[in-house]
């Protein structure tokens, strides 16, 4: 009987040699006359173990990693096709401590199934949410999404159901569903892993949004830095059309929904929903004034649902298992689960999907195993380039939108970038301003000019001629950007800058007690 | 512009003109085909889409992805964002610049490689990362990076 061997096609696995491993396994199996079926799955999210090869045995799926092509002959010698012992063996993958305590709702299939197998998707719970949505009254469905407590996972955390309700209730001859797959924040890859590892879940989530709100055209705005995700999505969309899940008669409902992938072009600002819409219309990605919100007047001036990949990927299970099921996860006003990305200088980097409420310390040490360098963790940046730097004294914060906001931090898209004690925080603050200058769309002055003045002022502080004056100037500039910018780029760039200044003044050549005295 | 290039752009225009918001898909198709967006394409696209040349030029230059000059045989993009910085992206950048003798946004004199910065490839748990001709490479130690650069066959 042919043994199923899994070698991920996830681009992080490919980045560390998975393709060579897959070729070596196929060649070695042929040479030895072993019958194997090679499955190219997504990644389980244990990224420090990639390439993670799994073998299906009677006792479950046994993992080996990280495997190099040069390890392959040795694995065959050790009888890995029957789960044989080997130095790289991590045992049964489902029992791995990294996975056992996770609550995988969005990521239930990622790494487990063949991403492009329509049938495997169905066998593992796929399309049931869509069938339920088709059977529901639209008003009932949007009320359910509101009840589930799902908030936008792209960063802004706006209740998804409210957007949907607005689109449903706004009369128009045409409506759109747009997926923001412009995952530009450093420290994030959950969108990418979903699109590469389980593309049908995004298609199903967007189709449900279309059916519920009456939108008939969907666009996935995908960043150009993700060619592997693009290939997976295009293949999955083709299959979905062939199998009648997209097109003029979605799943036999008599209702139409079409879906197209549009490639971004390397502009960070296009992750902001209104500049994304401008870009989709073929223009420069300039931020729009709000109101009107996109739910009323969005793409081509029509009512448009704009949600992030993870938001849409959460939808099928909510419609499958029920609105209350989802709401039972989480804490406070942060309901459900969040796929958290542990990145940067961390020993066990990867994807951890947990209900809200898990603390940073658990994530960094219980899951992450401390820094990759073995030095102490000095700070983490959460929520991308616009997120605050969080010092060790706040590592007991629970992951919760409101708890984070209370200390001036943000959960954002759930990306955590770890820095050890060699980091220079003045340099990181300067980088935040530099990045803003590079990526500003230029529409509003605080962002366009403020970011450049910010770089210059931080340089002056580092040079140290008149630090007192320059720090006051920087704080005043940040205040202008915070309150005067049109969107989050200029409006939140001050967060990493001010948090670096507040918690790590010594890196700017300032007295450690500066703030204590000022207070 | 030579007639062949113009003809290839015309093919793209005809294929994509029916799309709503067709300009970005057209620019991508042209760059995928020719490796860059020739400045002469601007007038052709403006005419096809009933836009001003200024509008098309504005779009081409707004997005970091579009090039207006032909790239070298290989395009090497080095991630410079925070997660990669935490794992030594500066070291990677220095090594690449020294080895290739060019700075970011430049090409080697022999036309072997164009060096570009990129801000996040989504490989943040396998940092530092780079992309070479559309293929990603992670956990770039000095040795792995050197092995990668050796494949580019840059003339000394």
């Amino acid at each position: 009987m042919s043994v199923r061997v899994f070698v991920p096609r996830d681009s992080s696995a490919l980045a560390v040699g998975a393709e060579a491993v897959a070729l070596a396994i196929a060649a070695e199996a042929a040479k030895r006359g072993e019958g194997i079926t090679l499955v190219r799955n997504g990644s389980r999210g244990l990224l420090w173990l990639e390439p993670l090869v799994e073998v299906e045995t009677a006792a479950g799926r046994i993992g080996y990693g990280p495997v190099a092509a040069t390890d392959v002959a040795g694995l065959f010698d050790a009888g890995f096709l029957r789960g044989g012992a080997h130095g790289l063996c991590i045992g049964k993958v489902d029992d791995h401590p990294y996975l056992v305590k996770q609550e995988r709702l969005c990521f239930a299939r990622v790494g487990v199934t063949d991403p492009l197998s329509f049938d495997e998707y169905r066998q593992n719970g796929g399309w049931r949410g869509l069938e339920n949505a088709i059977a529901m009254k639209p008003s009932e469905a949007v009320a359910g999404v509101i009840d589930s407590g799902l908030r936008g996972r792209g960063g802004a955390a706006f209740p998804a159901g409210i957007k949907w309700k607005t689109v449903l209730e706004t009369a128009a001859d045409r409506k759109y569903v747009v997926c923001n797959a412009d995952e530009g924040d450093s420290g994030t890859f959950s969108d990418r892993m979903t699109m590469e590892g389980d593309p049908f879940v995004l298609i199903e989530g967007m189709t449900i949004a279309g059916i519920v709100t009456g939108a008939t055209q969907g666009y996935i705005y995908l960043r150009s830095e993700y060619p592997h995700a693009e290939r997976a999505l295009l293949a999955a969309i083709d299959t979905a059309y062939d199998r009648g899940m997209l097109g003029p008669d979605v799943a036999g409902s008599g209702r139409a929904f079409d879906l197209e992938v549009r490639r971004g072009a390397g502009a960070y600002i296009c992750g902001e929903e209104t500049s994304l819409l401008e870009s989709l219309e073929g223009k420069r990605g300039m931020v729009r004034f709000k109101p009107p919100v996109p739910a009323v007047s969005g793409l081509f001036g029509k009512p448009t649902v704009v949600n992030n990949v993870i938001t849409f990927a959460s939808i099928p299970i909510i419609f499958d298992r029920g609105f209350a099921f989802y709401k039972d996860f989480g804490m406070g006003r942060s309901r459900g689960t969040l796929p958290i990305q542990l990145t940067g200088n961390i020993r066990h980097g990867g994807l951890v999907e947990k209900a809200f409420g898990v603390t940073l310390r658990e994530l960094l040490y219980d899951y992450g195993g401390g820094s990759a360098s073995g030095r102490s963790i000095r700070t983490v940046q959460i929520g991308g380039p616009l997120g605050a730097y969080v010092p060790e004294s706040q590592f007991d914060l629970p992951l919760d939108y409101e708890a984070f906001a209370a200390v001036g931090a943000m959960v954002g898209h759930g990306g955590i970038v770890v820095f050890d004690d060699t980091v220079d925080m003045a340099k990181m603050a300067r980088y935040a301003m530099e990045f803003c200058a590079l990526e500003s769309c230029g529409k509003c002055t605080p962002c366009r000019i403020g970011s450049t003045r910010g770089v210059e002022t931080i340089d002056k502080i580092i040079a140290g001629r008149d630090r007192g004056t320059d720090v006051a100037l920087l704080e005043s500039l940040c205040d202008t950007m915070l309150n005067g910018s049109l969107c989050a780029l200029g409006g939140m760039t001050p967060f990493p800058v001010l948090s670096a200044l507040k918690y790590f003044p010594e890196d700017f050549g300032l007295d450690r007690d500066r703030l204590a005295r000022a207070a | 512009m030579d007639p062949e290039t113009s003809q290839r752009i015309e093919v793209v225009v005809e294929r994509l003109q029916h799309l709503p918001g067709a300009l970005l898909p057209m620019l991508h198709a042209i760059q995928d085909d020719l490796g860059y967006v020739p400045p002469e394409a601007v007038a052709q696209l403006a005419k096809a889409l009933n836009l001003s040349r200024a509008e098309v030029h504005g779009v081409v230059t707004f997005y970091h992805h579009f090039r207006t000059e032909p790239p070298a045989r290989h395009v090497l993009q080095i991630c410079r964002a925070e997660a990669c910085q935490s794992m030594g992206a500066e070291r990677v950048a220095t090594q690449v610049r020294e080895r290739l003798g060019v700075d970011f946004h430049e090409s080697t004199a022999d036309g072997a490689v164009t060096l570009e910065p990129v801000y996040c490839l989504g490989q943040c748990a396998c940092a530092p990362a780079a992309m070479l001709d559309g293929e990603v490479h992670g956990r770039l130690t000095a040795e792995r990076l050197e092995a990668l650069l050796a494949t580019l066959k840059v003339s000394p």
Side-chain angles (χ1 to χ4, degrees), chain B residues 24-106:
Chain B
L24 258 76
M26 284 181 184
L27 292 172
H28 274 299
I30 291 167
Q31 182 156 310
D32 287 351
D33 182 27
L34 303 173
Y36 72 116
V37 179
E40 298 89 335
V42 168
Q44 213 172 330
L45 293 175
K47 190 157 181 267
L49 294 170
N50 196 24
L51 295 170
S52 72
R53 279 180 292 167
E55 282 170 302
V56 177
H57 175 79
V59 171
V60 174
T61 52
F62 181 86
Y63 295 96
H64 300 303
H65 178 82
F66 298 122
R67 289 183 210 101
T68 50
E69 280 172 29
R73 290 191 296 281
H74 300 286
V75 176
L76 178 62
Q77 296 174 304
I78 304 290
C79 179
R80 312 208 67 198
E82 291 92 334
C84 284
Q85 287 182 39
S86 79
M87 289 298 281
E90 273 310 300
R91 164 184 61 73
V92 170
T94 306
Q95 189 181 343
V96 169
R97 278 183 294 208
E98 279 174 6
R99 175 72 159 68
L100 300 180
V102 294
D103 208 338
F104 287 103
H105 306 290
E106 292 177 359

Side-chain angles (χ1 to χ4, degrees), chain A residues 11-12 15 47 50 186-187 189 192 223 262-266 279 283-285 343-345 381 385 418 428 431 439, chain B residues 20-21 23-24 28 32 58 62-65 81-83 85-87 119-124 136-139 144:
Chain A
S11 63
S12 270
L47 291 174
E50 292 293 356
S186 175
F189 48 74
R192 179 187 64 66
R223 62 200 301 260
R262 285 288 178 94
R263 213 192 291 164
S279 184
K283 304 175 195 157
R284 295 160 67 91
T343 78
N345 199 328
Q381 186 181 29
V418 179
M428 299 316 295
Y431 172 80
E439 298 295 340
Chain B
L23 183 52
L24 258 76
H28 274 299
D32 287 351
F62 181 86
Y63 295 96
H64 300 303
H65 178 82
E82 291 92 334
Q85 287 182 39
S86 79
M87 289 298 281
Y119 294 87
C120 200
L121 295 165
Q123 308 299 330
C124 318
V136 278
H137 299 269
R139 291 185 208 143
R144 278 177 56 91

